[in-house]
Amino acid sequence: MPPSSTRPSDILDDDDYPAYTMGRAAEMLNTTPAFLRALGEHRLITPLRSDGGHRRYSRYQLRIAARARELVDQGTPIEAACRIVILEDQLEEAQRINEQLRAQGGQPQPKPPA
């Protein structure tokens, strides 16, 4: 959980703060706790644990889970849906980094050969 010096308004703005219990997260996504556990088993999301050991989800994780749910609802197997969401997330991050580098006038450096 957050340090005691964290202001409540900081927590409300933090997409990574584990604010939602499994039951609440499932309710918000209109799914079941079993679906959320399955996403964890497929390593799409890894909820943090409360001091009592209960799963806690962040807003970011709920957005990721919602995208997976959308794909599963369209008929995509959960394993494939998780992989698709992971790849989409990686692509978005790479595009963000490229945009930052362009804004700074830098060029991405090629990876050295292995």
PDB file of all heavy atoms in Angstrom, residues 78-113:
ATOM      1  N   ILE A  78      -9.274 -17.005 -24.807  1.00  0.00           N
ATOM      2  CA  ILE A  78      -8.668 -16.149 -23.785  1.00  0.00           C
ATOM      3  C   ILE A  78      -7.146 -16.076 -23.920  1.00  0.00           C
ATOM      4  O   ILE A  78      -6.558 -15.015 -23.734  1.00  0.00           O
ATOM      5  CB  ILE A  78      -9.106 -16.554 -22.363  1.00  0.00           C
ATOM      6  CG1 ILE A  78      -8.716 -15.459 -21.373  1.00  0.00           C
ATOM      7  CG2 ILE A  78      -8.543 -17.912 -21.980  1.00  0.00           C
ATOM      8  CD1 ILE A  78      -9.378 -15.566 -20.031  1.00  0.00           C
ATOM      9  N   GLU A  79      -6.506 -17.195 -24.272  1.00  0.00           N
ATOM     10  CA  GLU A  79      -5.047 -17.178 -24.432  1.00  0.00           C
ATOM     11  C   GLU A  79      -4.640 -16.203 -25.532  1.00  0.00           C
ATOM     12  O   GLU A  79      -3.700 -15.421 -25.370  1.00  0.00           O
ATOM     13  CB  GLU A  79      -4.511 -18.575 -24.778  1.00  0.00           C
ATOM     14  CG  GLU A  79      -4.784 -19.620 -23.732  1.00  0.00           C
ATOM     15  CD  GLU A  79      -6.157 -20.280 -23.867  1.00  0.00           C
ATOM     16  OE1 GLU A  79      -6.898 -20.011 -24.843  1.00  0.00           O
ATOM     17  OE2 GLU A  79      -6.501 -21.066 -22.978  1.00  0.00           O
ATOM     18  N   ALA A  80      -5.353 -16.261 -26.663  1.00  0.00           N
ATOM     19  CA  ALA A  80      -5.059 -15.371 -27.782  1.00  0.00           C
ATOM     20  C   ALA A  80      -5.403 -13.927 -27.425  1.00  0.00           C
ATOM     21  O   ALA A  80      -4.657 -13.000 -27.773  1.00  0.00           O
ATOM     22  CB  ALA A  80      -5.831 -15.814 -29.018  1.00  0.00           C
ATOM     23  N   ALA A  81      -6.505 -13.714 -26.724  1.00  0.00           N
ATOM     24  CA  ALA A  81      -6.898 -12.367 -26.326  1.00  0.00           C
ATOM     25  C   ALA A  81      -5.827 -11.735 -25.440  1.00  0.00           C
ATOM     26  O   ALA A  81      -5.468 -10.568 -25.622  1.00  0.00           O
ATOM     27  CB  ALA A  81      -8.246 -12.394 -25.597  1.00  0.00           C
ATOM     28  N   CYS A  82      -5.291 -12.513 -24.513  1.00  0.00           N
ATOM     29  CA  CYS A  82      -4.244 -11.995 -23.632  1.00  0.00           C
ATOM     30  C   CYS A  82      -3.010 -11.617 -24.436  1.00  0.00           C
ATOM     31  O   CYS A  82      -2.408 -10.562 -24.213  1.00  0.00           O
ATOM     32  CB  CYS A  82      -3.898 -13.019 -22.552  1.00  0.00           C
ATOM     33  SG  CYS A  82      -5.201 -13.213 -21.318  1.00  0.00           S
ATOM     34  N   ARG A  83      -2.616 -12.451 -25.383  1.00  0.00           N
ATOM     35  CA  ARG A  83      -1.442 -12.161 -26.203  1.00  0.00           C
ATOM     36  C   ARG A  83      -1.662 -10.916 -27.052  1.00  0.00           C
ATOM     37  O   ARG A  83      -0.776 -10.081 -27.186  1.00  0.00           O
ATOM     38  CB  ARG A  83      -1.106 -13.370 -27.087  1.00  0.00           C
ATOM     39  CG  ARG A  83       0.167 -13.206 -27.851  1.00  0.00           C
ATOM     40  CD  ARG A  83       1.371 -13.209 -26.913  1.00  0.00           C
ATOM     41  NE  ARG A  83       2.578 -12.990 -27.674  1.00  0.00           N
ATOM     42  CZ  ARG A  83       3.543 -12.161 -27.327  1.00  0.00           C
ATOM     43  NH1 ARG A  83       3.469 -11.500 -26.190  1.00  0.00           N
ATOM     44  NH2 ARG A  83       4.589 -11.996 -28.078  1.00  0.00           N
ATOM     45  N   ILE A  84      -2.852 -10.791 -27.629  1.00  0.00           N
ATOM     46  CA  ILE A  84      -3.178  -9.609 -28.435  1.00  0.00           C
ATOM     47  C   ILE A  84      -3.075  -8.347 -27.594  1.00  0.00           C
ATOM     48  O   ILE A  84      -2.481  -7.344 -28.013  1.00  0.00           O
ATOM     49  CB  ILE A  84      -4.582  -9.745 -29.057  1.00  0.00           C
ATOM     50  CG1 ILE A  84      -4.564 -10.812 -30.155  1.00  0.00           C
ATOM     51  CG2 ILE A  84      -5.079  -8.401 -29.606  1.00  0.00           C
ATOM     52  CD1 ILE A  84      -5.952 -11.245 -30.613  1.00  0.00           C
ATOM     53  N   VAL A  85      -3.643  -8.371 -26.403  1.00  0.00           N
ATOM     54  CA  VAL A  85      -3.630  -7.187 -25.539  1.00  0.00           C
ATOM     55  C   VAL A  85      -2.197  -6.837 -25.140  1.00  0.00           C
ATOM     56  O   VAL A  85      -1.820  -5.661 -25.120  1.00  0.00           O
ATOM     57  CB  VAL A  85      -4.539  -7.386 -24.307  1.00  0.00           C
ATOM     58  CG1 VAL A  85      -4.397  -6.235 -23.330  1.00  0.00           C
ATOM     59  CG2 VAL A  85      -5.993  -7.539 -24.741  1.00  0.00           C
ATOM     60  N   ILE A  86      -1.386  -7.842 -24.847  1.00  0.00           N
ATOM     61  CA  ILE A  86       0.019  -7.594 -24.502  1.00  0.00           C
ATOM     62  C   ILE A  86       0.726  -6.926 -25.676  1.00  0.00           C
ATOM     63  O   ILE A  86       1.450  -5.937 -25.496  1.00  0.00           O
ATOM     64  CB  ILE A  86       0.716  -8.903 -24.086  1.00  0.00           C
ATOM     65  CG1 ILE A  86       0.219  -9.361 -22.717  1.00  0.00           C
ATOM     66  CG2 ILE A  86       2.244  -8.738 -24.083  1.00  0.00           C
ATOM     67  CD1 ILE A  86       0.611 -10.777 -22.341  1.00  0.00           C
ATOM     68  N   LEU A  87       0.526  -7.440 -26.870  1.00  0.00           N
ATOM     69  CA  LEU A  87       1.167  -6.858 -28.051  1.00  0.00           C
ATOM     70  C   LEU A  87       0.661  -5.443 -28.332  1.00  0.00           C
ATOM     71  O   LEU A  87       1.445  -4.554 -28.694  1.00  0.00           O
ATOM     72  CB  LEU A  87       0.955  -7.763 -29.265  1.00  0.00           C
ATOM     73  CG  LEU A  87       1.702  -9.095 -29.215  1.00  0.00           C
ATOM     74  CD1 LEU A  87       1.243 -10.007 -30.346  1.00  0.00           C
ATOM     75  CD2 LEU A  87       3.212  -8.877 -29.258  1.00  0.00           C
ATOM     76  N   GLU A  88      -0.632  -5.217 -28.164  1.00  0.00           N
ATOM     77  CA  GLU A  88      -1.177  -3.866 -28.342  1.00  0.00           C
ATOM     78  C   GLU A  88      -0.548  -2.894 -27.348  1.00  0.00           C
ATOM     79  O   GLU A  88      -0.195  -1.762 -27.703  1.00  0.00           O
ATOM     80  CB  GLU A  88      -2.695  -3.873 -28.157  1.00  0.00           C
ATOM     81  CG  GLU A  88      -3.463  -4.495 -29.283  1.00  0.00           C
ATOM     82  CD  GLU A  88      -4.961  -4.593 -29.004  1.00  0.00           C
ATOM     83  OE1 GLU A  88      -5.396  -4.456 -27.838  1.00  0.00           O
ATOM     84  OE2 GLU A  88      -5.709  -4.823 -29.973  1.00  0.00           O
ATOM     85  N   ASP A  89      -0.400  -3.330 -26.112  1.00  0.00           N
ATOM     86  CA  ASP A  89       0.176  -2.486 -25.068  1.00  0.00           C
ATOM     87  C   ASP A  89       1.645  -2.184 -25.378  1.00  0.00           C
ATOM     88  O   ASP A  89       2.093  -1.045 -25.223  1.00  0.00           O
ATOM     89  CB  ASP A  89       0.032  -3.181 -23.711  1.00  0.00           C
ATOM     90  CG  ASP A  89       0.202  -2.241 -22.548  1.00  0.00           C
ATOM     91  OD1 ASP A  89      -0.403  -1.148 -22.559  1.00  0.00           O
ATOM     92  OD2 ASP A  89       0.953  -2.596 -21.613  1.00  0.00           O
ATOM     93  N   GLN A  90       2.391  -3.185 -25.837  1.00  0.00           N
ATOM     94  CA  GLN A  90       3.795  -2.983 -26.190  1.00  0.00           C
ATOM     95  C   GLN A  90       3.930  -2.021 -27.369  1.00  0.00           C
ATOM     96  O   GLN A  90       4.811  -1.157 -27.372  1.00  0.00           O
ATOM     97  CB  GLN A  90       4.467  -4.316 -26.515  1.00  0.00           C
ATOM     98  CG  GLN A  90       4.676  -5.191 -25.306  1.00  0.00           C
ATOM     99  CD  GLN A  90       5.173  -6.588 -25.673  1.00  0.00           C
ATOM    100  OE1 GLN A  90       5.077  -7.026 -26.814  1.00  0.00           O
ATOM    101  NE2 GLN A  90       5.697  -7.282 -24.683  1.00  0.00           N
ATOM    102  N   LEU A  91       3.057  -2.165 -28.358  1.00  0.00           N
ATOM    103  CA  LEU A  91       3.084  -1.270 -29.519  1.00  0.00           C
ATOM    104  C   LEU A  91       2.789   0.162 -29.093  1.00  0.00           C
ATOM    105  O   LEU A  91       3.473   1.100 -29.512  1.00  0.00           O
ATOM    106  CB  LEU A  91       2.073  -1.735 -30.565  1.00  0.00           C
ATOM    107  CG  LEU A  91       1.919  -0.829 -31.787  1.00  0.00           C
ATOM    108  CD1 LEU A  91       3.250  -0.704 -32.533  1.00  0.00           C
ATOM    109  CD2 LEU A  91       0.822  -1.361 -32.695  1.00  0.00           C
ATOM    110  N   GLU A  92       1.792   0.341 -28.245  1.00  0.00           N
ATOM    111  CA  GLU A  92       1.446   1.687 -27.765  1.00  0.00           C
ATOM    112  C   GLU A  92       2.621   2.324 -27.028  1.00  0.00           C
ATOM    113  O   GLU A  92       2.929   3.495 -27.221  1.00  0.00           O
ATOM    114  CB  GLU A  92       0.220   1.604 -26.863  1.00  0.00           C
ATOM    115  CG  GLU A  92      -0.288   2.952 -26.399  1.00  0.00           C
ATOM    116  CD  GLU A  92      -1.537   2.809 -25.549  1.00  0.00           C
ATOM    117  OE1 GLU A  92      -2.442   2.052 -25.927  1.00  0.00           O
ATOM    118  OE2 GLU A  92      -1.583   3.461 -24.485  1.00  0.00           O
ATOM    119  N   GLU A  93       3.293   1.541 -26.195  1.00  0.00           N
ATOM    120  CA  GLU A  93       4.453   2.056 -25.457  1.00  0.00           C
ATOM    121  C   GLU A  93       5.589   2.415 -26.409  1.00  0.00           C
ATOM    122  O   GLU A  93       6.226   3.465 -26.263  1.00  0.00           O
ATOM    123  CB  GLU A  93       4.921   1.013 -24.432  1.00  0.00           C
ATOM    124  CG  GLU A  93       6.151   1.411 -23.650  1.00  0.00           C
ATOM    125  CD  GLU A  93       5.938   2.569 -22.678  1.00  0.00           C
ATOM    126  OE1 GLU A  93       4.797   3.018 -22.497  1.00  0.00           O
ATOM    127  OE2 GLU A  93       6.947   3.039 -22.119  1.00  0.00           O
ATOM    128  N   ALA A  94       5.852   1.578 -27.404  1.00  0.00           N
ATOM    129  CA  ALA A  94       6.909   1.869 -28.372  1.00  0.00           C
ATOM    130  C   ALA A  94       6.588   3.137 -29.165  1.00  0.00           C
ATOM    131  O   ALA A  94       7.467   3.970 -29.404  1.00  0.00           O
ATOM    132  CB  ALA A  94       7.100   0.683 -29.314  1.00  0.00           C
ATOM    133  N   GLN A  95       5.340   3.316 -29.539  1.00  0.00           N
ATOM    134  CA  GLN A  95       4.940   4.518 -30.264  1.00  0.00           C
ATOM    135  C   GLN A  95       5.094   5.764 -29.392  1.00  0.00           C
ATOM    136  O   GLN A  95       5.524   6.816 -29.870  1.00  0.00           O
ATOM    137  CB  GLN A  95       3.500   4.385 -30.763  1.00  0.00           C
ATOM    138  CG  GLN A  95       3.365   3.387 -31.884  1.00  0.00           C
ATOM    139  CD  GLN A  95       1.926   3.102 -32.273  1.00  0.00           C
ATOM    140  OE1 GLN A  95       1.008   3.185 -31.448  1.00  0.00           O
ATOM    141  NE2 GLN A  95       1.720   2.739 -33.522  1.00  0.00           N
ATOM    142  N   ARG A  96       4.769   5.633 -28.106  1.00  0.00           N
ATOM    143  CA  ARG A  96       4.923   6.764 -27.186  1.00  0.00           C
ATOM    144  C   ARG A  96       6.392   7.149 -27.061  1.00  0.00           C
ATOM    145  O   ARG A  96       6.746   8.331 -27.118  1.00  0.00           O
ATOM    146  CB  ARG A  96       4.346   6.408 -25.814  1.00  0.00           C
ATOM    147  CG  ARG A  96       4.339   7.576 -24.822  1.00  0.00           C
ATOM    148  CD  ARG A  96       3.948   7.136 -23.423  1.00  0.00           C
ATOM    149  NE  ARG A  96       4.867   6.170 -22.858  1.00  0.00           N
ATOM    150  CZ  ARG A  96       6.093   6.454 -22.396  1.00  0.00           C
ATOM    151  NH1 ARG A  96       6.549   7.681 -22.455  1.00  0.00           N
ATOM    152  NH2 ARG A  96       6.853   5.512 -21.883  1.00  0.00           N
ATOM    153  N   ILE A  97       7.262   6.167 -26.921  1.00  0.00           N
ATOM    154  CA  ILE A  97       8.704   6.426 -26.802  1.00  0.00           C
ATOM    155  C   ILE A  97       9.231   7.071 -28.081  1.00  0.00           C
ATOM    156  O   ILE A  97       9.996   8.044 -28.024  1.00  0.00           O
ATOM    157  CB  ILE A  97       9.461   5.127 -26.470  1.00  0.00           C
ATOM    158  CG1 ILE A  97       9.122   4.678 -25.044  1.00  0.00           C
ATOM    159  CG2 ILE A  97      10.965   5.308 -26.654  1.00  0.00           C
ATOM    160  CD1 ILE A  97       9.599   3.278 -24.704  1.00  0.00           C
ATOM    161  N   ASN A  98       8.822   6.555 -29.241  1.00  0.00           N
ATOM    162  CA  ASN A  98       9.261   7.141 -30.513  1.00  0.00           C
ATOM    163  C   ASN A  98       8.809   8.581 -30.631  1.00  0.00           C
ATOM    164  O   ASN A  98       9.563   9.446 -31.095  1.00  0.00           O
ATOM    165  CB  ASN A  98       8.736   6.323 -31.694  1.00  0.00           C
ATOM    166  CG  ASN A  98       9.538   5.068 -31.919  1.00  0.00           C
ATOM    167  OD1 ASN A  98      10.686   4.965 -31.505  1.00  0.00           O
ATOM    168  ND2 ASN A  98       8.923   4.100 -32.585  1.00  0.00           N
ATOM    169  N   GLU A  99       7.592   8.863 -30.215  1.00  0.00           N
ATOM    170  CA  GLU A  99       7.064  10.227 -30.262  1.00  0.00           C
ATOM    171  C   GLU A  99       7.889  11.154 -29.360  1.00  0.00           C
ATOM    172  O   GLU A  99       8.198  12.278 -29.736  1.00  0.00           O
ATOM    173  CB  GLU A  99       5.598  10.196 -29.845  1.00  0.00           C
ATOM    174  CG  GLU A  99       4.692  11.246 -30.397  1.00  0.00           C
ATOM    175  CD  GLU A  99       4.898  11.599 -31.859  1.00  0.00           C
ATOM    176  OE1 GLU A  99       4.873  10.725 -32.730  1.00  0.00           O
ATOM    177  OE2 GLU A  99       5.070  12.799 -32.116  1.00  0.00           O
ATOM    178  N   GLN A 100       8.236  10.681 -28.167  1.00  0.00           N
ATOM    179  CA  GLN A 100       9.058  11.474 -27.256  1.00  0.00           C
ATOM    180  C   GLN A 100      10.429  11.756 -27.862  1.00  0.00           C
ATOM    181  O   GLN A 100      10.945  12.876 -27.776  1.00  0.00           O
ATOM    182  CB  GLN A 100       9.248  10.752 -25.920  1.00  0.00           C
ATOM    183  CG  GLN A 100       8.054  10.786 -25.023  1.00  0.00           C
ATOM    184  CD  GLN A 100       8.281  10.012 -23.734  1.00  0.00           C
ATOM    185  OE1 GLN A 100       9.120   9.125 -23.661  1.00  0.00           O
ATOM    186  NE2 GLN A 100       7.502  10.339 -22.721  1.00  0.00           N
ATOM    187  N   LEU A 101      11.019  10.738 -28.459  1.00  0.00           N
ATOM    188  CA  LEU A 101      12.334  10.923 -29.082  1.00  0.00           C
ATOM    189  C   LEU A 101      12.265  11.919 -30.242  1.00  0.00           C
ATOM    190  O   LEU A 101      13.156  12.751 -30.393  1.00  0.00           O
ATOM    191  CB  LEU A 101      12.889   9.579 -29.567  1.00  0.00           C
ATOM    192  CG  LEU A 101      13.339   8.622 -28.473  1.00  0.00           C
ATOM    193  CD1 LEU A 101      13.672   7.254 -29.059  1.00  0.00           C
ATOM    194  CD2 LEU A 101      14.539   9.185 -27.723  1.00  0.00           C
ATOM    195  N   ARG A 102      11.229  11.828 -31.035  1.00  0.00           N
ATOM    196  CA  ARG A 102      11.077  12.778 -32.146  1.00  0.00           C
ATOM    197  C   ARG A 102      10.921  14.202 -31.614  1.00  0.00           C
ATOM    198  O   ARG A 102      11.477  15.138 -32.174  1.00  0.00           O
ATOM    199  CB  ARG A 102       9.876  12.395 -33.000  1.00  0.00           C
ATOM    200  CG  ARG A 102      10.150  11.235 -33.902  1.00  0.00           C
ATOM    201  CD  ARG A 102       9.016  11.054 -34.925  1.00  0.00           C
ATOM    202  NE  ARG A 102       9.202   9.784 -35.582  1.00  0.00           N
ATOM    203  CZ  ARG A 102       8.464   8.698 -35.350  1.00  0.00           C
ATOM    204  NH1 ARG A 102       7.465   8.741 -34.493  1.00  0.00           N
ATOM    205  NH2 ARG A 102       8.705   7.575 -35.996  1.00  0.00           N
ATOM    206  N   ALA A 103      10.140  14.350 -30.539  1.00  0.00           N
ATOM    207  CA  ALA A 103       9.922  15.675 -29.953  1.00  0.00           C
ATOM    208  C   ALA A 103      11.217  16.252 -29.396  1.00  0.00           C
ATOM    209  O   ALA A 103      11.414  17.465 -29.399  1.00  0.00           O
ATOM    210  CB  ALA A 103       8.866  15.594 -28.858  1.00  0.00           C
ATOM    211  N   GLN A 104      12.125  15.378 -28.938  1.00  0.00           N
ATOM    212  CA  GLN A 104      13.415  15.815 -28.400  1.00  0.00           C
ATOM    213  C   GLN A 104      14.458  15.985 -29.501  1.00  0.00           C
ATOM    214  O   GLN A 104      15.572  16.391 -29.229  1.00  0.00           O
ATOM    215  CB  GLN A 104      13.932  14.808 -27.379  1.00  0.00           C
ATOM    216  CG  GLN A 104      13.080  14.678 -26.155  1.00  0.00           C
ATOM    217  CD  GLN A 104      13.478  13.496 -25.284  1.00  0.00           C
ATOM    218  OE1 GLN A 104      14.395  12.746 -25.603  1.00  0.00           O
ATOM    219  NE2 GLN A 104      12.782  13.328 -24.176  1.00  0.00           N
ATOM    220  N   GLY A 105      14.110  15.619 -30.726  1.00  0.00           N
ATOM    221  CA  GLY A 105      15.050  15.720 -31.833  1.00  0.00           C
ATOM    222  C   GLY A 105      16.017  14.561 -31.900  1.00  0.00           C
ATOM    223  O   GLY A 105      16.976  14.584 -32.661  1.00  0.00           O
ATOM    224  N   GLY A 106      15.779  13.550 -31.108  1.00  0.00           N
ATOM    225  CA  GLY A 106      16.665  12.381 -31.094  1.00  0.00           C
ATOM    226  C   GLY A 106      16.167  11.313 -32.020  1.00  0.00           C
ATOM    227  O   GLY A 106      15.038  11.312 -32.481  1.00  0.00           O
ATOM    228  N   GLN A 107      17.034  10.407 -32.310  1.00  0.00           N
ATOM    229  CA  GLN A 107      16.701   9.259 -33.128  1.00  0.00           C
ATOM    230  C   GLN A 107      16.843   7.999 -32.285  1.00  0.00           C
ATOM    231  O   GLN A 107      17.764   7.898 -31.492  1.00  0.00           O
ATOM    232  CB  GLN A 107      17.653   9.163 -34.333  1.00  0.00           C
ATOM    233  CG  GLN A 107      17.520  10.316 -35.288  1.00  0.00           C
ATOM    234  CD  GLN A 107      16.171  10.304 -35.991  1.00  0.00           C
ATOM    235  OE1 GLN A 107      15.643   9.253 -36.317  1.00  0.00           O
ATOM    236  NE2 GLN A 107      15.599  11.477 -36.187  1.00  0.00           N
ATOM    237  N   PRO A 108      15.936   7.040 -32.462  1.00  0.00           N
ATOM    238  CA  PRO A 108      16.114   5.784 -31.740  1.00  0.00           C
ATOM    239  C   PRO A 108      17.442   5.146 -32.125  1.00  0.00           C
ATOM    240  O   PRO A 108      17.831   5.164 -33.276  1.00  0.00           O
ATOM    241  CB  PRO A 108      14.940   4.928 -32.208  1.00  0.00           C
ATOM    242  CG  PRO A 108      13.985   5.863 -32.856  1.00  0.00           C
ATOM    243  CD  PRO A 108      14.756   7.052 -33.307  1.00  0.00           C
ATOM    244  N   GLN A 109      18.159   4.640 -31.144  1.00  0.00           N
ATOM    245  CA  GLN A 109      19.424   3.990 -31.388  1.00  0.00           C
ATOM    246  C   GLN A 109      19.200   2.533 -31.754  1.00  0.00           C
ATOM    247  O   GLN A 109      18.424   1.855 -31.100  1.00  0.00           O
ATOM    248  CB  GLN A 109      20.313   4.073 -30.130  1.00  0.00           C
ATOM    249  CG  GLN A 109      20.647   5.498 -29.724  1.00  0.00           C
ATOM    250  CD  GLN A 109      21.468   6.220 -30.792  1.00  0.00           C
ATOM    251  OE1 GLN A 109      22.386   5.640 -31.366  1.00  0.00           O
ATOM    252  NE2 GLN A 109      21.121   7.461 -31.070  1.00  0.00           N
ATOM    253  N   PRO A 110      19.876   2.043 -32.805  1.00  0.00           N
ATOM    254  CA  PRO A 110      19.713   0.624 -33.136  1.00  0.00           C
ATOM    255  C   PRO A 110      20.304  -0.247 -32.052  1.00  0.00           C
ATOM    256  O   PRO A 110      21.275   0.127 -31.380  1.00  0.00           O
ATOM    257  CB  PRO A 110      20.489   0.480 -34.453  1.00  0.00           C
ATOM    258  CG  PRO A 110      21.401   1.644 -34.517  1.00  0.00           C
ATOM    259  CD  PRO A 110      20.791   2.733 -33.679  1.00  0.00           C
ATOM    260  N   LYS A 111      19.702  -1.429 -31.875  1.00  0.00           N
ATOM    261  CA  LYS A 111      20.217  -2.376 -30.884  1.00  0.00           C
ATOM    262  C   LYS A 111      21.506  -2.965 -31.421  1.00  0.00           C
ATOM    263  O   LYS A 111      21.592  -3.296 -32.599  1.00  0.00           O
ATOM    264  CB  LYS A 111      19.201  -3.488 -30.637  1.00  0.00           C
ATOM    265  CG  LYS A 111      18.013  -3.064 -29.807  1.00  0.00           C
ATOM    266  CD  LYS A 111      17.043  -4.185 -29.644  1.00  0.00           C
ATOM    267  CE  LYS A 111      17.587  -5.191 -28.660  1.00  0.00           C
ATOM    268  NZ  LYS A 111      16.626  -6.261 -28.357  1.00  0.00           N
ATOM    269  N   PRO A 112      22.514  -3.127 -30.544  1.00  0.00           N
ATOM    270  CA  PRO A 112      23.746  -3.786 -30.992  1.00  0.00           C
ATOM    271  C   PRO A 112      23.468  -5.253 -31.286  1.00  0.00           C
ATOM    272  O   PRO A 112      22.579  -5.847 -30.691  1.00  0.00           O
ATOM    273  CB  PRO A 112      24.703  -3.624 -29.813  1.00  0.00           C
ATOM    274  CG  PRO A 112      23.840  -3.305 -28.650  1.00  0.00           C
ATOM    275  CD  PRO A 112      22.567  -2.714 -29.176  1.00  0.00           C
ATOM    276  N   PRO A 113      24.211  -5.840 -32.228  1.00  0.00           N
ATOM    277  CA  PRO A 113      23.995  -7.257 -32.532  1.00  0.00           C
ATOM    278  C   PRO A 113      24.264  -8.129 -31.317  1.00  0.00           C
ATOM    279  O   PRO A 113      25.136  -7.819 -30.509  1.00  0.00           O
ATOM    280  CB  PRO A 113      24.983  -7.566 -33.641  1.00  0.00           C
ATOM    281  CG  PRO A 113      25.703  -6.301 -33.959  1.00  0.00           C
ATOM    282  CD  PRO A 113      25.257  -5.245 -33.011  1.00  0.00           C
TER     283      PRO A 113
END
